[in-house]
Amino acid sequence: MDRRSFLRTSTVGAGAAAATTLAAPAIAQGNRTLTLVTSVPDGFAIFDDAAQLAIDYITTMTDGALSFNKMSAGSLVGAFEVFDAVSSGQADVYHSAEYYFLNQHPAFAFFTSVPFGMTAQEMANWYYRRGGQELHDELSGLFGLKPLMVGQTAMQPGGWFNKEINSVEDLQGLRFRMPGQGGQVLGRLGASVQNIPGGEIYQALASGQIDGAEWIGPYADERMGFQEVTNLYYTSGFHEPGSTLSMVFNQEIWDSLSPLHQNICKIACEAAHAQNTALTLAENGAALARLQAGGVQTREFPDEVWDAFGSAAAEVREENMSDPMYAKIAESYFASMAESAGWYEIADGEFMRQRNRVNAG
């Protein structure tokens, strides 16, 4: 399926046991330590890298006046319970992927990724220059939260499978790990979708609990060891063209920070986001080459499967448009994406032709 053609036709038109009172951050000798909960184990490539880099920057830039006690998934609350923990005041900050929290509001999908949605650069364009941050603030504010973007997985592969996908029928009953709207698309096509935390995917795949899984990309996937379980890797994915991660503060905690510290947090997260995007894009190529050298076989979905992904994605996208907040965010998101895509199509086309000509001759 041609992505730009799809865009032109389709873009128109539980929780943790919460404390009842706000948790007080630790304060000693004028310094302050916030409790930050994450959705992955410590050291997870790309995902935890973004969180750690952001808090390191903040601590350094405030000369230690503001620091964080980072608690990985399961150490205080579960991977998918971080939203409720911070909203209720059980923790001060979380770092996660917002599409884990579609049960709170379906529009959170737009602040990670949606099928056939924005690339990493398009997401940055929208978030920083076309109102995405303000809409994220508005949505999160309904839950007493203040979000900042920090972390970018870029284009995610289709995932690891224990069998080839040669037709839409091969998706029937397939037990596959995929969160967000991408998982909803697979569900519409007959798959049995599993929303498994990142720290549990390897064991689920190795034990046969699931038939396949997607994670982040070659660099992070290699570190997860999925190549030890299966050697079929679909390198093009429909579900997450540019997935964003977020650091989200309890609103009362955020409001209690000085204007200086708020600005430091914003700048540190932007810097960490840029570094994390570069890490992803710089390391994926070499990691994929290592995987292939080790026996991993890369595959592409056939056209009929891409067409089915596209049709189901359009249905999933539209099913929440009756919600005013969802519709408002969707309209802004797709308008910005179309604006960016239109420019790239004009500006990049001749450059790419000339680059190919020079490299060939």
Side-chain angles (χ1 to χ4, degrees):
M1 168 177 291
D2 177 72
R3 177 174 176 268
R4 298 197 188 281
S5 175
F6 179 87
L7 295 180
R8 284 192 290 268
T9 59
S10 67
T11 62
V12 180
T20 57
T21 57
L22 191 67
I27 302 177
Q29 298 180 345
N31 295 340
R32 190 173 188 184
T33 300
L34 303 183
T35 298
L36 181 146
V37 288
T38 78
S39 291
V40 295
D42 286 336
F44 262 38
I46 307 300
F47 206 128
D48 190 60
D49 287 339
Q52 189 62 54
L53 190 58
I55 64 178
D56 286 347
Y57 281 170
I58 293 169
T59 301
T60 300
M61 294 166 71
T62 62
D63 197 22
L66 184 60
S67 61
F68 296 82
N69 176 24
K70 180 163 69 71
M71 306 188 73
S72 62
S75 56
L76 179 64
V77 295
F80 298 148
E81 297 171 346
V82 298
F83 182 104
D84 289 340
V86 174
S87 180
S88 69
Q90 187 181 6
D92 303 317
V93 194
Y94 72 75
H95 183 263
S96 190
E98 295 283 68
Y99 69 176
Y100 290 156
F101 313 123
L102 299 190
N103 288 339
Q104 278 78 10
H105 199 287
F108 278 113
F110 293 109
F111 298 102
T112 299
S113 189
V114 296
F116 298 98
M118 289 183 175
T119 64
Q121 186 59 59
E122 288 167 342
M123 185 68 181
N125 298 351
W126 176 58
Y127 203 84
Y128 293 131
R129 305 297 301 178
R130 290 296 183 266
Q133 172 76 77
E134 291 77 11
L135 289 168
H136 200 187
D137 287 343
E138 184 177 354
L139 175 61
S140 299
L142 300 175
F143 302 91
L145 299 169
K146 163 60 185 176
L148 297 169
M149 180 169 71
V150 55
Q152 174 59 253
T153 74
M155 177 69 73
Q156 293 200 6
W160 301 83
F161 292 77
N162 64 6
K163 68 174 185 179
E164 291 192 7
I165 305 300
N166 296 312
S167 68
V168 177
E169 287 69 33
D170 289 331
L171 299 173
Q172 297 293 317
L174 187 78
R175 298 167 301 168
F176 198 83
R177 185 269 178 191
M178 181 179 284
Q181 286 192 357
Q184 294 172 358
V185 167
L186 286 186
R188 282 178 179 264
L189 297 177
S192 174
V193 179
Q194 314 291 315
N195 196 10
I196 298 171
E200 301 173 18
I201 301 173
Y202 179 91
Q203 182 58 36
L205 192 61
S207 69
Q209 176 187 340
I210 54 177
D211 302 313
E214 61 78 44
W215 181 229
I216 288 178
Y219 176 63
D221 291 8
E222 179 188 38
R223 294 271 293 272
M224 293 283 275
F226 296 141
Q227 68 277 11
E228 300 167 4
V229 182
T230 177
N231 69 346
L232 287 177
Y233 195 26
Y234 280 74
T235 49
S236 294
F238 73 94
H239 56 302
E240 298 180 41
S243 295
T244 296
L245 304 171
S246 297
M247 180 178 286
V248 182
F249 290 74
N250 177 282
Q251 186 69 61
E252 291 186 34
I253 294 295
W254 178 260
D255 291 341
S256 73
L257 299 178
S258 69
L260 173 63
H261 284 179
Q262 288 179 351
N263 282 324
I264 286 174
C265 288
K266 292 176 183 177
I267 293 166
C269 285
E270 290 178 11
H273 184 82
Q275 287 287 343
N276 193 249
T277 304
L279 171 66
T280 301
L281 295 174
E283 298 298 337
N284 273 344
L288 181 59
R290 290 192 298 269
L291 290 169
Q292 290 174 313
V296 169
Q297 301 177 38
T298 55
R299 294 286 187 272
E300 299 286 342
F301 297 114
D303 287 347
E304 73 163 273
V305 174
W306 278 108
D307 290 342
F309 288 155
S311 297
E315 294 173 5
V316 167
R317 182 174 297 158
E318 293 299 317
E319 66 183 6
N320 293 301
M321 289 298 286
S322 60
D323 181 279
M325 178 64 76
Y326 182 96
K328 178 181 179 180
I329 293 172
E331 180 180 5
S332 173
Y333 180 98
F334 290 118
S336 180
M337 185 170 71
E339 180 183 47
S340 293
W343 166 243
Y344 295 153
E345 189 167 303
I346 294 169
D348 290 354
E350 182 60 26
F351 169 77
M352 293 303 294
R353 285 191 291 273
Q354 293 296 335
R355 188 176 75 170
N356 292 343
R357 179 182 63 80
V358 169
N359 288 341

